[in-house]
Amino acid sequence: MCSTISSPNPSVLPTFTCENTTGECQILATDISLCPKSPTKRPCRDQTELVVNKTKRLCNSTRTSFSELIVDESKHQNFDNFSQQQITISTPSPSPSPTPSSKKPSSSILEWIAQFNQMTSDDRTSAIDLFIQNCSSDTSQLKYLRNKIEPYFQRDFIQDLPRELALQVLRYLPASDLSRASRTCRVWNEIINDVLLWKRLCQSQQIQYKDKPCIFDNLILNPWKRSYACYQHLKHTWNKGQLPRSKYFRGHEDFVITCLQFDGKRIVSGSDDNTLKIWSVETGECEKTLTGHNGGVWCSEMTNDLVVSGSTDRTIRVWNAETGECKHVLYGHTSTVRCLALYKDLVVSGSRDATVRIWNIVTGERLHTLSGHTAAVRCVCYNGKYVVSGAYDHTIRIWIPENERLVHVLEGHTNRVYSLVFDGKHVVSGSLDCSIRVWDVESGTCLHHLTGHLSLTSGMQLRGNILVSGNADSTVKIWNIDSGKCLHTLSGRNKHLSAVTWVQVILNYVVSSGDDGTVKIWDLETGDFIRNLVELESAGSGGVVWRIKCTNSALVCAAGSRNSTEDTKVILLDFDRTTSLNNDENSNSNTSSLSTMNSTSNINPLHKTDCNLDDEMSVATNHSASCSPSIS
């Protein structure tokens, strides 16, 4: 059905409208350049045709499909789809609203418009006021007037602002909102794909730049946005993705692995067989076996290419991890070296001789000896300013090592102190008296006495004000050290069946190992059990996981058994392999459904879907899949 719309300006040629079968209204003018323009707006870029959707404006679409989220920024594939549909989007102009009549205005209306054009500004304002008052009795006319006026005041502030200011505004948005906003139009997409914007976003979340080839190389050109996508994929893989194939490192025979270090490239395991072994993550081979100790190795630390170990032979040894050479043997302790803490070129050692000593691992020089404990020192921490030591004499001591001055003696525990964490402000101590205490390092006062565990606290980790503790009572607890309240107890039917041996916080998860031969992962915020990451063949019948070490991309476990039912070994789960480009594990359908990526699948790790699978991570693989676990 076609009709004619005449302009009040006699110099403008008439315009014809035609409503097609799809409900769209096409406006075709003999000369578009003569059409009335919206005030303060730029002219249309494409002046050949203007197609306006009658029911909604395309730039304000609220579609929830995430299939077009990852686009090749160089080809703009998603926007080419719009051009195939012959849709042209201009700057906002008044949307067509139901009109009382679409016929040509009468001569009296044209005369009134002519008189209005000749009025002064004040007279025009008075005329408009009177006109609105006359329309106030009919709300439909006021609604029509509002709908006609509103588009004239709509501005694309992201496009209109200088690029630097637009980026400053966008930097406050989370990644999920940025990704949705990038679908608005070409200009927004180009601005939001700014490298610096995504670099700041990654740095604010401590996401490292990923320079290795990954599965998103051909999907996301922005390197920092690609790094963010890999990070989100890692979070998904820890949570619900298919676990990477385990690697096993065997070499300590049936001895116990007493200490474990991991820096992402190397694994260092120490054992009571008097040796340490250095394993290559890449090849899975034992690169070096460090021999020299005359007793079991009980503690170790690693920095750059140096490994430091303490033994029952009362010595500390400094090794070159590349060559396996022993650079220094540090003598001084008169009993077993039980714990080490490394800070830059300094190492702090605690011994059963009740002393704490500070050494320079580069020169091999002993710098300070801290005496005061009356029983074995079990744990030490050092942040460059304070040395904190916990001992079997039920006390924690805070020292300034430069002048060997004792600052505070923290008394309150009624049994041996087995574990410490120290963040520079708070000291948290775990004891055999079943309690945990939070201390202020400056004043030496006890801030909170945390009770609830039923046995020895074997391991703790502190992130901000959130403390995670693992206990021999088979439970893990999450605390707020500011309030002293227990937020969650990780127990229930999926809890460990025996003592928790170690805990670690990684990403938004808690990873715990146990005497029952399992490694479990829990949600840090809710305390919900997610799944088992490792389950030994002899789990529940002698198998035990002694230690774990985690990074964002890998899990390392030291495992064995107490009754020879399980071989002593180191287990590696490399989650980073699931994002590697040349990884044969990605051929499995459950890893990320990458086999359909180059055909009909468009995957996106930057959005939240209605399925609520992961924060800022979409797992929609195609238009028909409601919730298929994959990433992009």
Side-chain angles (χ1 to χ4, degrees):
M1 177 178 180
C2 298
S3 60
T4 303
I5 301 177
S6 298
S7 170
N9 188 347
S11 63
V12 177
L13 296 177
T15 300
F16 301 94
T17 65
C18 181
E19 182 171 343
N20 57 27
T21 58
T22 64
E24 293 180 343
C25 180
Q26 291 184 334
I27 306 174
L28 307 175
T30 54
D31 188 354
I32 293 295
S33 63
L34 298 177
C35 292
K37 296 182 177 62
S38 174
T40 72
K41 288 297 173 182
R42 297 184 180 88
C44 297
R45 290 191 180 91
D46 189 350
Q47 296 186 350
T48 57
E49 80 174 297
L50 178 65
V51 180
V52 181
N53 190 296
K54 192 172 183 179
T55 59
K56 65 179 180 181
R57 288 172 52 235
L58 222 141
C59 63
N60 286 340
S61 172
T62 57
R63 293 172 296 173
T64 57
S65 171
F66 303 119
S67 60
E68 70 270 37
L69 258 293
I70 291 187
V71 298
D72 187 329
E73 289 90 337
S74 62
K75 297 180 180 180
H76 300 288
Q77 296 173 353
N78 297 325
F79 299 104
D80 291 342
N81 295 334
F82 292 151
S83 62
Q84 293 174 5
Q85 299 174 10
Q86 295 183 346
I87 297 178
T88 303
I89 304 175
S90 70
T91 51
S93 57
S95 302
S97 303
T99 58
S101 175
S102 59
K103 65 181 182 179
K104 181 178 179 180
S106 64
S107 58
S108 59
I109 294 178
L110 297 177
E111 291 176 1
W112 184 84
I113 293 297
Q115 293 177 5
F116 183 83
N117 289 336
Q118 295 175 359
M119 294 180 185
T120 64
S121 178
D122 292 340
D123 290 342
R124 286 186 178 188
T125 301
S126 300
I128 293 173
D129 287 340
L130 292 173
F131 177 75
I132 293 175
Q133 291 176 9
N134 289 333
C135 294
S136 61
S137 59
D138 189 348
T139 56
S140 62
Q141 292 177 343
L142 290 177
K143 289 180 181 178
Y144 174 77
L145 183 62
R146 182 190 63 187
N147 293 336
K148 299 295 289 185
I149 291 174
E150 278 182 348
Y152 286 89
F153 294 94
Q154 294 175 350
R155 300 292 301 271
D156 184 349
F157 67 95
I158 293 297
Q159 182 174 349
D160 291 345
L161 284 173
R163 185 182 182 91
E164 294 78 7
L165 293 180
L167 290 173
Q168 184 68 18
V169 172
L170 292 170
R171 67 179 294 190
Y172 292 99
L173 296 180
S176 56
D177 290 345
L178 284 176
S179 194
R180 290 189 184 97
S182 68
R183 297 181 299 153
T184 303
C185 60
R186 283 179 182 266
V187 175
W188 283 40
N189 181 270
E190 189 272 332
I191 294 175
I192 290 173
N193 276 315
D194 182 83
V195 173
L196 184 59
L197 178 65
W198 286 93
K199 179 180 179 180
R200 288 175 174 172
L201 178 66
C202 289
Q203 290 177 341
S204 67
Q205 300 185 27
Q206 298 180 341
I207 299 173
Q208 296 181 352
Y209 179 80
K210 187 173 180 64
D211 53 359
K212 297 180 180 179
C214 71
I215 56 177
F216 304 116
D217 285 349
N218 296 326
L219 297 174
I220 305 176
L221 301 184
N222 184 324
W224 280 99
K225 186 177 181 181
R226 186 164 59 243
S227 299
Y228 187 90
C230 289
Y231 173 80
Q232 293 299 329
H233 175 50
L234 282 175
K235 289 175 62 178
H236 172 74
T237 306
W238 278 92
N239 189 348
K240 296 184 179 179
Q242 177 174 326
L243 293 175
R245 189 178 299 115
S246 299
K247 284 185 178 180
Y248 297 95
F249 307 85
R250 293 180 172 87
H252 289 291
E253 298 181 355
D254 290 332
F255 290 89
V256 174
I257 296 177
T258 56
C259 52
L260 189 66
Q261 302 299 326
F262 176 50
D263 66 357
K265 296 180 180 179
R266 295 188 184 96
I267 301 170
V268 178
S269 58
S271 171
D272 59 359
D273 65 359
N274 304 354
T275 69
L276 297 100
K277 290 184 179 292
I278 301 177
W279 312 86
S280 169
V281 171
E282 184 66 28
T283 65
E285 300 295 329
C286 179
E287 294 182 336
K288 295 288 184 293
T289 298
L290 309 182
T291 59
H293 281 298
N294 296 320
V297 178
W298 279 98
C299 52
S300 65
E301 290 286 341
M302 179 169 57
T303 176
N304 299 326
D305 291 330
L306 294 179
V307 175
V308 186
S309 59
S311 168
T312 59
D313 65 6
R314 300 170 292 179
T315 67
I316 300 165
R317 289 180 178 257
V318 181
W319 313 81
N320 185 311
E322 290 288 344
T323 64
E325 174 193 3
C326 180
K327 297 176 66 66
H328 302 291
V329 181
L330 310 181
Y331 296 98
H333 284 296
T334 59
S335 187
T336 298
V337 179
R338 194 62 186 84
C339 51
L340 296 171
L342 195 61
Y343 179 81
K344 295 184 178 178
D345 294 337
L346 302 179
V347 66
V348 178
S349 59
S351 169
R352 285 179 178 166
D353 64 10
T355 66
V356 177
R357 298 173 188 258
I358 296 94
W359 317 77
N360 187 308
I361 60 175
V362 176
T363 64
E365 178 186 4
R366 184 177 66 193
L367 303 178
H368 307 286
T369 299
L370 309 178
S371 300
H373 283 294
T374 58
V377 177
R378 182 62 174 78
C379 43
V380 291
C381 298
Y382 184 39
N383 71 339
K385 180 180 180 181
Y386 294 114
V387 170
V388 183
S389 57
Y392 286 175
D393 61 7
H394 310 177
T395 68
I396 301 102
R397 294 176 183 255
I398 301 175
W399 318 77
I400 294 180
E402 285 75 13
N403 54 15
E404 301 182 2
R405 181 166 65 92
L406 177 63
V407 180
H408 299 293
V409 178
L410 311 181
E411 297 178 314
H413 285 296
T414 58
N415 211 324
R416 296 176 176 182
V417 176
Y418 270 86
S419 54
L420 285 176
V421 289
F422 176 41
D423 64 359
K425 182 180 179 181
H426 301 98
V427 175
V428 183
S429 57
S431 170
L432 190 58
D433 64 7
C434 306
S435 71
I436 298 172
R437 290 179 179 265
V438 182
W439 313 81
D440 183 271
V441 71
E442 295 294 340
S443 65
T445 58
C446 181
L447 302 177
H448 299 289
H449 183 205
L450 311 181
T451 59
H453 281 304
L454 303 177
S455 187
L456 165 69
T457 298
S458 53
M460 299 185 295
Q461 186 167 3
L462 185 62
R463 178 193 279 183
N465 65 338
I466 300 299
L467 173 72
V468 179
S469 61
N471 196 271
D473 65 3
S474 76
T475 66
V476 178
K477 289 183 180 288
I478 301 175
W479 314 80
N480 184 317
I481 64 170
D482 290 338
S483 64
K485 294 182 178 180
C486 179
L487 304 179
H488 304 289
T489 298
L490 312 185
S491 56
R493 61 188 181 91
N494 294 305
K495 74 169 186 174
H496 289 284
L497 300 179
S498 56
V500 176
T501 56
W502 209 256
V503 292
Q504 190 162 350
V505 178
I506 192 72
L507 300 173
N508 293 324
Y509 310 116
V510 175
V511 181
S512 61
S513 60
D515 243 359
D516 58 357
T518 64
V519 178
K520 299 177 182 291
I521 185 169
W522 315 75
D523 189 288
L524 178 62
E525 295 182 358
T526 65
D528 294 334
F529 171 78
I530 297 176
R531 60 175 172 174
N532 286 337
L533 297 176
V534 173
E535 187 169 1
L536 301 180
E537 292 182 1
S538 60
S541 59
V544 56
V545 179
W546 292 302
R547 291 286 186 272
I548 57 173
K549 288 288 183 179
C550 302
T551 65
N552 284 357
S553 57
L555 166 68
V556 180
C557 315
S561 68
R562 302 190 186 280
N563 53 9
S564 300
T565 57
E566 189 86 28
D567 293 337
T568 297
K569 55 184 170 287
V570 176
I571 305 171
L572 169 67
L573 273 68
D574 190 356
F575 293 92
D576 199 35
R577 287 177 59 82
T578 62
T579 65
S580 299
L581 190 61
N582 299 320
N583 176 25
D584 55 359
E585 293 180 21
N586 285 330
S587 61
N588 297 329
S589 60
N590 290 335
T591 52
S592 295
S593 301
L594 296 180
S595 59
T596 60
M597 182 179 296
N598 295 325
S599 55
T600 60
S601 174
N602 290 310
I603 45 182
N604 169 33
L606 306 178
H607 283 279
K608 297 177 182 177
T609 66
D610 293 336
C611 306
N612 294 323
L613 289 180
D614 285 324
D615 251 0
E616 300 174 346
M617 178 170 183
S618 166
V619 291
T621 55
N622 50 55
H623 293 289
S624 60
S626 61
C627 244
S628 175
S630 65
I631 50 81
S632 80

